[in-house]
């Protein structure tokens, strides 16, 4: 028996229970043998993981769900999988939460959000249905999780169809409370095939009324907007969303679809306007972030987690029966109107043995750490005027590595995966450039975990995330340069505890 290579629609939508047990065993064994499995990032046991869903705090614990197709590295019939945590870094598997088991979600329990109402965690999701001609119908559905962790789906949609003038590309409800009312934002498409975000409001989730389109830009948002997500950072509204088919004139991006955001002054509920919106920006400057979900936690923080993966893009781990992971949890902050994303304070719990690092940047490459095991955090502070290259996932000869090329004189960072591990997604470019303030000191904080690297620049002013699929022995951390010096720390990180 071999892993399936030619996925047909019939296979992708075959109910899980019809899958042969022997095949599932082979799949799990193949996944478990992968050298790219991560130690502290959330990943699916097998198959494909995509969007984070229902990120919330309920009954004294953090809850997170994700989109999963467990039978292979493809977008098949989706479910929600549940993980829970006491500290936002160690996540326990809780099993499948919402399965595609009713007529309103027969072809997938699609993305959505969670909100605590009284003593339940209410989950809002999109039921995806296809007819014989493969035409899509979307239903907005609710489910409730009680304090025992039991989940019950409601048997009828709470929004049964898109409003007149919009297609069934209508999904990813975000529910939240704002000024004593329940609000729902949802990704939509007009009959003229324009991407929009629609708003609903009401006194209860069951009695939501369609209010209209949310206004947050004058530009065209492409043909569809996925995963709209409004969070408030100290009262300031920040809208995260994923426009598909966005004109590259409107935003400089290279990924197939960008994950973008705007910061506004206020949310005017009368006119459905996010007032004084900033220009559209990339949430992540790297290669692999999409469908980020954030929520306002009861402790006052705005917490976010991203899908580290791209739609419609092949990844090397596909051959091993699995694809993608979630990012670490990031805290969103605003400083002078700019969005910062920082690793949460709890992230330090993973730190193990520490090594101090310091030196001059010279053209002779210096090995900072030979065998990192690709499971570490490193923070490096560079003096103003520094120019150099940090190599991660480096082989002995420095022929292969993920290169972080920094030039503080010209205010530029380039993340280059041209010669890093197994090549993939080259059609979307193999470098990403980030502008930084010129002639200033620079801080880089990196989280590396087997096949993923999350880079936080200058305390989270910018973030760049990249998947890398290194070969045997490609785990060196090396630095070289032309000018300046550095000082910092390296920590080996422990694995996530998940039992
Ligand atoms: C975004 C997305 C959502 C949809 C989900 C299906 O990645 O396409 O719009 O709900 O994935 O898995």
């Amino acid at each position: 028996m071999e892993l399936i290579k030619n996925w047909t629609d019939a296979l992708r939508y075959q109910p899980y229970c019809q899958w042969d047990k022997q095949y599932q065993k082979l799949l799990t064994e193949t996944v478990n043998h992968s050298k790219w499995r991560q130690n502290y990032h959330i990943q699916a046991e097998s198959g494909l993981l995509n969007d984070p869903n229902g990120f919330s705090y309920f009954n004294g614990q953090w809850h997170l769900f994700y989109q999963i197709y467990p039978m292979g590295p493809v977008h098949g019939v989706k479910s929600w999988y549940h993980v829970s945590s006491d500290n936002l870094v160690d996540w326990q598997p809780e099993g499948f939460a919402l399965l595609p088991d009713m007529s309103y979600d027969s072809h997938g329990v699609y993305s959505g959000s969670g909100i605590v109402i009284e003593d339940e965690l209410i989950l809002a999701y999109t039921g995806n249905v296809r007819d014989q001609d493969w035409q899509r119908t979307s239903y907005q559905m609710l489910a409730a999780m009680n304090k025992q962790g039991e989940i019950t789906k409601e048997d009828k949609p709470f929004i049964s169809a898109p409003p007149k003038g919009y297609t069934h590309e209508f999904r990813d409800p975000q529910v939240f409370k704002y000024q004593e009312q329940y609000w729902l934002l949802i990704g939509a498409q007009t009959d003229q095939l324009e991407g929009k975000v629609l708003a609903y409001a009401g006194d209860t989730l069951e009695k939501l009324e369609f209010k209209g389109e949310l206004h947050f830009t004058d530009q065209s948002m492409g043909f569809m907007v996925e995963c709209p997500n409004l969070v408030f950072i100290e009262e300031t509204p920040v809208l995260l969303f994923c426009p598909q088919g966005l004109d590259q004139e409107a935003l400089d991006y290279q990924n197939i679809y960008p994950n973008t955001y705007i910061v506004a002054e206020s949310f005017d509920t009368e006119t459905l306007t996010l007032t004084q919106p900033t220009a559209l920006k990339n949430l992540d400057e790297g290669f692999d972030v999409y469908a980020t979900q954030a929520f306002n936690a009861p402790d006052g923080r705005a917490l976010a987690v991203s899908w580290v993966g791209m739609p419609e893009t092949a990844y090397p781990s596909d051959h091993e029966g699995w694809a993608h992971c979630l990012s670490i949890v990031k805290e969103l902050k605003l400083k002078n109107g700019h969005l910062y994303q920082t690793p949460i304070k709890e992230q330090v719990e993973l730190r193990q043995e520490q090594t101090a690092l310091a030196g001059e940047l010279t053209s002779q490459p210096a090995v900072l750490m030979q065998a990192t095991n690709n499971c570490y955090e490193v923070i490096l502070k560079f003096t103003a005027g520094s120019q150099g290259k940090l190599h991660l996932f480096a082989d002995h000869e420095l022929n292969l590595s993920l290169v972080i090329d920094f030039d503080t004189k010209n205010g530029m960072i380039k993340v280059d995966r041209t010669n890093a591990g197994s090549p993939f997604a080259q059609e979307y470019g193999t470098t990403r450039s980030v502008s930084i303030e010129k002639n200033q000191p620079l801080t880089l904080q990196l989280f590396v975990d087997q096949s993923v690297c999350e880079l936080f620049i200058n305390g989270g002013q910018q973030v760049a995330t990249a998947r890398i699929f290194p070969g045997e022995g490609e785990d060196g951390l090396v630095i070289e340069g032309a000018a300046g010096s550095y000082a910092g720390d390296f920590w080996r990180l422990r694995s996530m505890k998940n039992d």
Side-chain angles (χ1 to χ4, degrees):
M1 212 189 310
E2 274 189 8
L3 289 189
I4 293 165
K5 290 196 191 79
N6 299 318
W7 284 88
T8 58
D9 282 349
L11 274 173
R12 289 191 301 129
Y13 287 86
Q14 175 171 301
Y16 305 156
C17 60
Q18 287 174 17
W19 280 83
D20 177 47
K21 289 275 168 298
Q22 283 303 106
Y23 187 80
Q24 291 184 50
K25 196 163 162 263
L26 171 73
L27 177 65
T28 320
E29 277 168 12
T30 315
V31 174
N32 291 345
H33 276 109
S34 169
K35 56 183 177 296
W36 296 316
R37 297 291 284 170
Q38 288 136 358
N39 296 354
Y40 61 91
H41 282 77
I42 294 171
Q43 59 194 346
E45 264 170 49
S46 64
L48 181 142
L49 162 157
N50 57 306
D51 312 355
N53 295 154
F55 193 12
S56 50
Y57 185 80
F58 170 65
N59 197 25
Q61 276 202 313
W62 302 99
H63 295 274
L64 186 54
F65 303 79
Y66 56 77
Q67 287 281 288
I68 184 171
Y69 174 64
M71 300 304 170
V74 292
H75 290 269
V77 59
K78 298 281 172 70
S79 294
W80 280 34
Y81 193 91
H82 180 199
V83 291
S84 68
S85 174
D86 291 327
N87 62 2
L88 290 166
V89 293
D90 296 302
W91 292 93
Q92 280 75 44
E94 301 285 355
F96 284 81
L98 298 171
L99 288 161
D101 55 7
M102 57 199 279
S103 60
Y104 293 111
D105 59 22
S106 56
H107 291 67
V109 177
Y110 275 13
S111 287
S113 55
I115 183 171
V116 179
I117 301 180
E118 290 165 8
D119 49 9
E120 289 178 323
L121 174 62
I122 304 297
L123 306 172
Y125 68 93
T126 299
N128 181 54
V129 174
R130 298 277 194 177
D131 67 10
Q132 280 141 338
D133 304 322
W134 214 240
Q135 292 300 309
R136 192 197 296 281
T137 310
S138 297
Y139 299 101
Q140 309 316 315
M141 309 292 296
L142 293 174
M145 185 168 98
N146 66 17
K147 290 192 165 170
Q148 286 70 50
E150 295 152 356
I151 299 177
T152 316
K153 280 178 168 180
E154 284 196 6
D155 54 12
K156 293 256 155 33
F158 74 121
I159 299 177
S160 54
K164 207 165 165 291
Y166 298 89
T167 74
H168 273 273
E169 299 298 319
F170 181 62
R171 57 180 172 269
D172 312 335
Q174 184 209 5
V175 284
F176 58 98
K177 212 166 179 187
Y178 187 69
Q179 294 176 346
E180 298 311 309
Q181 282 220 304
Y182 288 102
W183 283 85
L184 178 144
L185 298 183
I186 186 162
Q189 181 183 61
T190 65
D191 287 342
Q192 290 72 42
L193 310 186
E194 303 154 320
K196 297 287 174 191
V197 176
L198 302 186
Y200 289 70
D203 292 333
T204 65
L205 288 186
E206 286 75 16
K207 286 198 198 125
L208 291 180
E209 230 181 77
F210 174 52
K211 295 288 178 187
E213 290 178 4
L214 183 72
H215 307 292
F216 56 95
T217 178
D218 295 332
Q219 288 169 317
S220 155
M221 287 296 106
F223 61 82
M224 172 65 187
V225 173
E226 294 189 313
C227 304
N229 186 226
L230 186 64
V231 269
F232 293 86
I233 307 178
E234 288 164 15
E235 319 270 294
T236 302
V238 178
L239 182 71
L240 316 179
F241 57 106
C242 299
Q244 298 187 305
L246 183 75
D247 192 334
Q248 265 142 345
E249 294 286 307
L251 176 76
D252 188 13
Y253 70 95
Q254 282 175 271
N255 298 343
I256 179 167
Y257 306 125
N259 195 168
T260 60
Y261 74 95
I262 55 118
V263 180
E265 218 167 72
S266 66
F267 175 30
D268 182 340
T269 55
E270 285 303 310
T271 61
L272 302 177
T273 305
L274 294 174
T275 64
Q276 305 286 327
T278 57
L280 204 59
K281 289 183 190 146
N282 283 310
L283 188 60
D284 189 283
E285 303 287 352
F287 302 86
D288 298 289
V289 154
Y290 197 72
T292 301
Q293 186 170 87
F295 85 110
N296 287 103
D299 62 13
R301 290 185 289 182
L303 299 175
V305 60
S306 308
W307 171 26
V308 183
M310 276 292 142
E312 298 159 44
T313 308
Y315 282 72
S317 66
D318 293 354
H319 302 294
E320 301 179 335
W322 69 285
H324 316 308
C325 62
L326 295 183
S327 69
I328 60 171
V329 177
K330 299 170 271 198
E331 183 176 354
L332 305 182
K333 292 177 190 164
L334 285 171
K335 277 188 213 162
N336 305 324
H338 180 88
L339 184 70
Y340 280 70
Q341 303 172 68
T342 58
I344 47 164
K345 61 178 192 300
E346 292 88 339
Q347 202 64 39
V348 301
E349 292 193 21
L350 295 182
R351 288 179 181 172
Q352 307 288 288
E353 178 200 318
Q354 178 175 4
T355 311
L357 304 170
E360 298 294 318
L361 288 161
T362 64
S363 59
Q364 182 62 38
V367 177
L368 294 180
M369 198 60 64
Q370 186 61 266
T372 63
N373 226 356
N374 287 334
C375 185
Y376 61 91
E377 175 188 345
V378 63
I379 300 182
L380 291 172
K381 291 183 195 228
F382 299 94
T383 51
S386 292
Q387 289 174 318
K389 286 185 177 136
L390 185 64
H391 299 265
L392 300 101
F393 299 93
D395 67 352
H396 265 284
E397 295 75 32
L398 221 52
N399 292 329
L400 292 174
S401 67
L402 175 74
V403 185
I404 298 170
D405 194 335
F406 52 93
D407 179 348
T408 64
K409 281 192 189 143
N410 294 302
M412 191 61 92
I413 293 185
K414 192 170 81 186
V415 182
D416 186 346
R417 70 175 180 193
T418 313
N419 295 309
S422 303
F424 70 105
Q426 288 158 308
E427 60 275 35
Y428 301 103
T430 57
T431 63
R432 295 289 184 271
S433 294
V434 188
S435 302
I436 52 168
E437 220 182 317
K438 287 182 186 166
N439 299 315
Q440 292 296 315
L442 166 71
T443 305
L444 300 180
Q445 181 175 18
L446 288 137
F447 290 87
V448 167
D449 190 5
Q450 306 308 325
S451 56
V452 64
C453 169
E454 293 177 77
L455 164 65
F456 296 83
I457 301 166
N458 285 333
Q461 210 165 24
Q462 280 124 335
V463 185
T465 303
R467 291 301 301 278
I468 309 98
F469 295 88
E472 210 52 52
E474 292 162 29
D475 71 343
L477 179 63
V478 177
I479 200 159
E480 62 180 315
S485 62
Y486 62 90
D489 288 288
F490 172 99
W491 292 268
R492 292 193 187 276
L493 298 184
R494 68 162 169 83
S495 296
M496 182 191 290
K497 290 183 199 148
N498 52 15
D499 44 26

